[in-house]
Amino acid sequence: MFMGKLPHKADLIGALTETAGANGIQAGAVQVMGALQRATLGFYDQWSKAYRELPFNNPLEIVSGTGNISLRDGKPFVHLHLAVSDEEGKVFGGHAMEGCIIFAAEYVIIPLVGTAPVRTFDEATGLFLWEREQYPAPGQKKLSPELQRALLHP
């Protein structure tokens, strides 16, 4: 497990990506908390298959930040979603995009063992998604077909 603080005034996604790369993390779970000077969140429009940017040019608290690390184009890729609140406690959420500028942020990255998930373009959604439905850890038994259907295809 890796824990630490991210640099003041750094881009949140950039700093997490740099941390993952510097520590050789190709697969992992991410949590982040703290505050941002400003933020850009994304909402994926399923009809146009494009992100709409939601800019916030004011200080925000990170109420919750959770995501994962996998590989895209052979490099660590951080996929992070944020819930942030303004000075009145109103909460906004979405996909963390470039432009989330750190005031103060602490992170936890839990590296995952086994084959790193790889993101490839998914024609149906227009997103870069993991190419496989399952990435079992070494020694993990494969799920039975019945359990696989129940968990992955409800």
Side-chain angles (χ1 to χ4, degrees):
M1 175 170 35
F2 294 85
M3 297 174 65
K5 71 175 185 174
L6 297 170
H8 179 70
K9 295 191 176 184
D11 181 82
L12 181 62
I13 294 297
L16 287 169
T17 301
E18 186 176 313
T19 299
N23 290 288
I25 301 167
Q26 297 185 342
V30 178
Q31 290 183 326
V32 64
M33 61 188 331
L36 300 171
Q37 293 178 328
R38 65 178 187 270
T40 303
L41 301 180
F43 174 81
Y44 192 72
D45 185 321
Q46 297 175 17
W47 301 108
S48 67
K49 295 184 179 178
Y51 277 101
R52 285 195 339 236
E53 290 188 4
L54 308 169
F56 297 88
N57 292 313
N58 53 301
L60 299 161
E61 285 288 319
I62 299 172
V63 176
S64 177
T66 185
N68 59 56
I69 299 168
S70 55
L71 294 176
R72 180 171 166 187
D73 300 324
K75 297 176 185 165
F77 177 84
V78 174
H79 182 195
L80 183 71
H81 283 217
L82 292 175
V84 296
S85 66
D86 65 12
E87 69 276 0
E88 295 177 359
K90 293 179 189 167
V91 177
F92 307 91
H95 179 89
M97 302 184 82
E98 189 175 310
C100 293
I101 305 304
I102 297 168
F103 176 74
E106 299 171 337
Y107 70 90
V108 175
I109 297 176
I110 302 170
L112 301 175
V113 298
T115 303
V118 175
R119 292 187 176 276
T120 58
F121 185 74
D122 179 70
E123 193 71 40
T125 64
L127 294 165
F128 282 83
L129 301 175
W130 292 339
E131 63 184 351
R132 292 175 19 197
E133 288 185 9
Q134 187 178 65
Y135 290 86
Q140 180 180 346
K141 293 181 181 178
K142 188 172 180 171
L143 297 175
S144 70
E146 295 80 19
L147 186 54
Q148 215 172 27
R149 275 193 300 280
L151 292 174
L152 301 174
H153 305 287

